[in-house]
mmCIF file of all heavy atoms in Angstrom:
data_model
loop_
_atom_site.group_PDB
_atom_site.id
_atom_site.type_symbol
_atom_site.label_atom_id
_atom_site.label_comp_id
_atom_site.label_asym_id
_atom_site.label_seq_id
_atom_site.Cartn_x
_atom_site.Cartn_y
_atom_site.Cartn_z
ATOM 1 N N SER A 26 112.707 111.509 -11.749
ATOM 2 C CA SER A 26 112.707 110.487 -10.667
ATOM 3 C C SER A 26 113.403 110.969 -9.456
ATOM 4 O O SER A 26 114.520 111.548 -9.564
ATOM 5 C CB SER A 26 113.318 109.235 -11.168
ATOM 6 O OG SER A 26 113.355 108.207 -10.111
ATOM 7 N N ILE A 27 112.810 110.949 -8.313
ATOM 8 C CA ILE A 27 113.448 111.341 -7.011
ATOM 9 C C ILE A 27 113.717 110.140 -6.139
ATOM 10 O O ILE A 27 114.234 110.275 -5.069
ATOM 11 C CB ILE A 27 112.643 112.400 -6.266
ATOM 12 C CG1 ILE A 27 111.264 111.769 -5.760
ATOM 13 C CG2 ILE A 27 112.424 113.638 -7.098
ATOM 14 C CD1 ILE A 27 110.536 112.675 -4.788
ATOM 15 N N ASP A 28 113.317 108.917 -6.679
ATOM 16 C CA ASP A 28 113.584 107.639 -5.938
ATOM 17 C C ASP A 28 113.651 106.524 -6.890
ATOM 18 O O ASP A 28 112.615 106.059 -7.388
ATOM 19 C CB ASP A 28 112.521 107.452 -4.883
ATOM 20 C CG ASP A 28 112.708 106.203 -4.081
ATOM 21 O OD1 ASP A 28 113.741 105.531 -4.246
ATOM 22 O OD2 ASP A 28 111.859 105.867 -3.242
ATOM 23 N N LYS A 29 114.873 106.024 -7.158
ATOM 24 C CA LYS A 29 115.023 104.954 -8.166
ATOM 25 C C LYS A 29 114.440 103.710 -7.679
ATOM 26 O O LYS A 29 114.037 102.813 -8.484
ATOM 27 C CB LYS A 29 116.468 104.699 -8.453
ATOM 28 C CG LYS A 29 117.298 104.126 -7.204
ATOM 29 C CD LYS A 29 118.804 103.958 -7.620
ATOM 30 C CE LYS A 29 119.605 103.424 -6.473
ATOM 31 N NZ LYS A 29 119.129 102.049 -5.944
ATOM 32 N N ASP A 30 114.169 103.568 -6.343
ATOM 33 C CA ASP A 30 113.512 102.354 -5.854
ATOM 34 C C ASP A 30 112.018 102.628 -5.576
ATOM 35 O O ASP A 30 111.325 101.748 -4.874
ATOM 36 C CB ASP A 30 114.192 101.908 -4.542
ATOM 37 C CG ASP A 30 115.660 101.517 -4.834
ATOM 38 O OD1 ASP A 30 115.849 100.781 -5.765
ATOM 39 O OD2 ASP A 30 116.435 101.923 -4.005
ATOM 40 N N GLY A 31 111.466 103.740 -6.068
ATOM 41 C CA GLY A 31 110.140 104.047 -5.793
ATOM 42 C C GLY A 31 109.068 103.227 -6.576
ATOM 43 O O GLY A 31 109.458 102.423 -7.384
ATOM 44 N N SER A 32 107.861 103.534 -6.415
ATOM 45 C CA SER A 32 106.757 102.959 -7.194
ATOM 46 C C SER A 32 106.824 103.225 -8.601
ATOM 47 O O SER A 32 107.431 104.240 -9.006
ATOM 48 C CB SER A 32 105.374 103.377 -6.601
ATOM 49 O OG SER A 32 105.255 103.018 -5.256
ATOM 50 N N GLU A 33 106.305 102.386 -9.453
ATOM 51 C CA GLU A 33 106.358 102.564 -10.912
ATOM 52 C C GLU A 33 105.172 103.556 -11.273
ATOM 53 O O GLU A 33 104.006 103.446 -10.847
ATOM 54 C CB GLU A 33 106.124 101.211 -11.705
ATOM 55 C CG GLU A 33 106.311 101.394 -13.244
ATOM 56 C CD GLU A 33 106.371 100.109 -13.977
ATOM 57 O OE1 GLU A 33 107.088 99.195 -13.390
ATOM 58 O OE2 GLU A 33 105.829 99.963 -15.036
ATOM 59 N N CYS A 34 105.559 104.546 -12.038
ATOM 60 C CA CYS A 34 104.627 105.536 -12.479
ATOM 61 C C CYS A 34 104.021 105.091 -13.872
ATOM 62 O O CYS A 34 104.436 104.203 -14.535
ATOM 63 C CB CYS A 34 105.413 106.884 -12.781
ATOM 64 S SG CYS A 34 104.352 108.271 -13.330
ATOM 65 N N LEU A 35 102.783 105.752 -14.138
ATOM 66 C CA LEU A 35 102.110 105.409 -15.442
ATOM 67 C C LEU A 35 102.994 105.680 -16.632
ATOM 68 O O LEU A 35 102.777 105.121 -17.683
ATOM 69 C CB LEU A 35 100.790 106.263 -15.584
ATOM 70 C CG LEU A 35 99.704 105.813 -14.645
ATOM 71 C CD1 LEU A 35 98.522 106.823 -14.690
ATOM 72 C CD2 LEU A 35 99.099 104.408 -14.984
ATOM 73 N N CYS A 36 103.955 106.580 -16.459
ATOM 74 C CA CYS A 36 104.832 106.904 -17.578
ATOM 75 C C CYS A 36 105.851 105.842 -17.905
ATOM 76 O O CYS A 36 106.487 105.849 -18.905
ATOM 77 C CB CYS A 36 105.503 108.241 -17.385
ATOM 78 S SG CYS A 36 106.915 108.173 -16.138
ATOM 79 N N GLY A 37 106.019 104.829 -16.888
ATOM 80 C CA GLY A 37 106.974 103.777 -17.060
ATOM 81 C C GLY A 37 108.180 104.039 -16.215
ATOM 82 O O GLY A 37 108.977 103.043 -16.015
ATOM 83 N N ASN A 38 108.452 105.175 -15.741
ATOM 84 C CA ASN A 38 109.555 105.480 -14.861
ATOM 85 C C ASN A 38 109.248 105.103 -13.403
ATOM 86 O O ASN A 38 108.122 104.764 -13.065
ATOM 87 C CB ASN A 38 109.880 106.996 -14.929
ATOM 88 C CG ASN A 38 111.288 107.308 -14.514
ATOM 89 O OD1 ASN A 38 112.057 106.416 -14.087
ATOM 90 N ND2 ASN A 38 111.762 108.559 -14.473
ATOM 91 N N LYS A 39 110.254 105.166 -12.573
ATOM 92 C CA LYS A 39 110.073 104.727 -11.137
ATOM 93 C C LYS A 39 110.345 105.989 -10.309
ATOM 94 O O LYS A 39 111.232 106.752 -10.571
ATOM 95 C CB LYS A 39 110.944 103.627 -10.721
ATOM 96 C CG LYS A 39 110.514 102.270 -11.158
ATOM 97 C CD LYS A 39 111.351 101.182 -10.508
ATOM 98 C CE LYS A 39 110.817 99.806 -10.874
ATOM 99 N NZ LYS A 39 111.605 98.707 -10.172
ATOM 100 N N GLY A 40 109.551 106.120 -9.212
ATOM 101 C CA GLY A 40 109.782 107.150 -8.272
ATOM 102 C C GLY A 40 109.603 108.601 -8.782
ATOM 103 O O GLY A 40 110.279 109.531 -8.340
ATOM 104 N N CYS A 41 108.713 108.804 -9.738
ATOM 105 C CA CYS A 41 108.478 110.138 -10.246
ATOM 106 C C CYS A 41 108.068 111.131 -9.219
ATOM 107 O O CYS A 41 107.287 110.811 -8.299
ATOM 108 C CB CYS A 41 107.525 110.182 -11.397
ATOM 109 S SG CYS A 41 108.114 109.305 -12.957
ATOM 110 N N LEU A 42 108.445 112.445 -9.373
ATOM 111 C CA LEU A 42 107.999 113.460 -8.410
ATOM 112 C C LEU A 42 106.564 113.522 -8.359
ATOM 113 O O LEU A 42 105.948 113.758 -7.258
ATOM 114 C CB LEU A 42 108.562 114.799 -8.925
ATOM 115 C CG LEU A 42 108.271 116.037 -8.133
ATOM 116 C CD1 LEU A 42 108.952 115.949 -6.764
ATOM 117 C CD2 LEU A 42 108.770 117.292 -8.835
ATOM 118 N N GLU A 43 105.787 113.271 -9.401
ATOM 119 C CA GLU A 43 104.332 113.392 -9.481
ATOM 120 C C GLU A 43 103.758 112.404 -8.479
ATOM 121 O O GLU A 43 102.600 112.599 -7.914
ATOM 122 C CB GLU A 43 103.835 112.985 -10.862
ATOM 123 C CG GLU A 43 102.300 113.069 -11.073
ATOM 124 C CD GLU A 43 101.876 112.948 -12.489
ATOM 125 O OE1 GLU A 43 102.040 113.921 -13.193
ATOM 126 O OE2 GLU A 43 101.422 111.876 -12.874
ATOM 127 N N LEU A 44 104.408 111.189 -8.232
ATOM 128 C CA LEU A 44 103.884 110.199 -7.417
ATOM 129 C C LEU A 44 103.894 110.644 -5.881
ATOM 130 O O LEU A 44 103.290 109.962 -5.010
ATOM 131 C CB LEU A 44 104.702 108.930 -7.486
ATOM 132 C CG LEU A 44 104.608 108.205 -8.880
ATOM 133 C CD1 LEU A 44 105.535 107.012 -8.863
ATOM 134 C CD2 LEU A 44 103.167 107.800 -9.211
ATOM 135 N N TYR A 45 104.611 111.713 -5.568
ATOM 136 C CA TYR A 45 104.721 112.204 -4.199
ATOM 137 C C TYR A 45 104.183 113.601 -3.946
ATOM 138 O O TYR A 45 103.713 113.841 -2.886
ATOM 139 C CB TYR A 45 106.226 112.188 -3.823
ATOM 140 C CG TYR A 45 106.959 110.893 -4.003
ATOM 141 C CD1 TYR A 45 107.570 110.541 -5.245
ATOM 142 C CD2 TYR A 45 106.947 109.946 -2.969
ATOM 143 C CE1 TYR A 45 108.169 109.342 -5.375
ATOM 144 C CE2 TYR A 45 107.626 108.787 -3.168
ATOM 145 C CZ TYR A 45 108.223 108.421 -4.381
ATOM 146 O OH TYR A 45 108.790 107.204 -4.546
ATOM 147 N N CYS A 46 104.237 114.441 -4.986
ATOM 148 C CA CYS A 46 103.901 115.808 -4.672
ATOM 149 C C CYS A 46 102.704 116.382 -5.522
ATOM 150 O O CYS A 46 102.465 117.611 -5.333
ATOM 151 C CB CYS A 46 105.136 116.688 -5.030
ATOM 152 S SG CYS A 46 106.509 116.328 -3.820
ATOM 153 N N SER A 47 102.037 115.605 -6.353
ATOM 154 C CA SER A 47 100.859 116.142 -6.935
ATOM 155 C C SER A 47 99.775 116.236 -5.797
ATOM 156 O O SER A 47 99.932 115.642 -4.743
ATOM 157 C CB SER A 47 100.355 115.238 -8.034
ATOM 158 O OG SER A 47 99.907 114.020 -7.425
ATOM 159 N N ALA A 48 98.752 117.049 -6.035
ATOM 160 C CA ALA A 48 97.684 117.190 -5.042
ATOM 161 C C ALA A 48 97.022 115.782 -4.763
ATOM 162 O O ALA A 48 96.771 115.415 -3.609
ATOM 163 C CB ALA A 48 96.702 118.237 -5.438
ATOM 164 N N THR A 49 96.897 115.075 -5.864
ATOM 165 C CA THR A 49 96.297 113.745 -5.783
ATOM 166 C C THR A 49 97.109 112.806 -4.956
ATOM 167 O O THR A 49 96.601 112.237 -4.000
ATOM 168 C CB THR A 49 96.218 113.091 -7.139
ATOM 169 O OG1 THR A 49 95.427 113.957 -7.977
ATOM 170 C CG2 THR A 49 95.473 111.757 -7.093
ATOM 171 N N ALA A 50 98.472 112.772 -5.110
ATOM 172 C CA ALA A 50 99.326 111.890 -4.400
ATOM 173 C C ALA A 50 99.445 112.305 -2.896
ATOM 174 O O ALA A 50 99.397 111.452 -2.020
ATOM 175 C CB ALA A 50 100.725 111.936 -5.038
ATOM 176 N N PHE A 51 99.597 113.629 -2.684
ATOM 177 C CA PHE A 51 99.746 114.119 -1.287
ATOM 178 C C PHE A 51 98.349 113.858 -0.502
ATOM 179 O O PHE A 51 98.456 113.555 0.616
ATOM 180 C CB PHE A 51 100.158 115.535 -1.300
ATOM 181 C CG PHE A 51 100.573 116.009 0.111
ATOM 182 C CD1 PHE A 51 101.393 115.264 0.865
ATOM 183 C CD2 PHE A 51 100.112 117.245 0.594
ATOM 184 C CE1 PHE A 51 101.780 115.682 2.189
ATOM 185 C CE2 PHE A 51 100.489 117.650 1.823
ATOM 186 C CZ PHE A 51 101.295 116.830 2.638
ATOM 187 N N THR A 52 97.280 114.001 -1.223
ATOM 188 C CA THR A 52 96.015 113.701 -0.563
ATOM 189 C C THR A 52 95.958 112.243 -0.138
ATOM 190 O O THR A 52 95.582 111.968 1.090
ATOM 191 C CB THR A 52 94.848 114.022 -1.493
ATOM 192 O OG1 THR A 52 94.795 115.371 -1.856
ATOM 193 C CG2 THR A 52 93.485 113.533 -1.004
ATOM 194 N N GLU A 53 96.331 111.337 -0.896
ATOM 195 C CA GLU A 53 96.456 109.933 -0.568
ATOM 196 C C GLU A 53 97.371 109.606 0.601
ATOM 197 O O GLU A 53 97.028 108.867 1.427
ATOM 198 C CB GLU A 53 96.743 109.058 -1.838
ATOM 199 C CG GLU A 53 95.676 109.061 -2.883
ATOM 200 C CD GLU A 53 94.336 108.582 -2.269
ATOM 201 O OE1 GLU A 53 94.237 107.542 -1.621
ATOM 202 O OE2 GLU A 53 93.268 109.263 -2.529
ATOM 203 N N THR A 54 98.483 110.297 0.606
ATOM 204 C CA THR A 54 99.515 110.188 1.587
ATOM 205 C C THR A 54 98.853 110.576 3.021
ATOM 206 O O THR A 54 99.009 109.915 3.976
ATOM 207 C CB THR A 54 100.747 110.971 1.386
ATOM 208 O OG1 THR A 54 101.319 110.476 0.159
ATOM 209 C CG2 THR A 54 101.806 110.762 2.462
#
């Protein structure tokens, strides 16, 4: 997690790096 107040990830954690830096996530951004 890089943001405790971030969006909820499919894994159940919040603010996971994957939500910001995967190719999929960055494309959407």
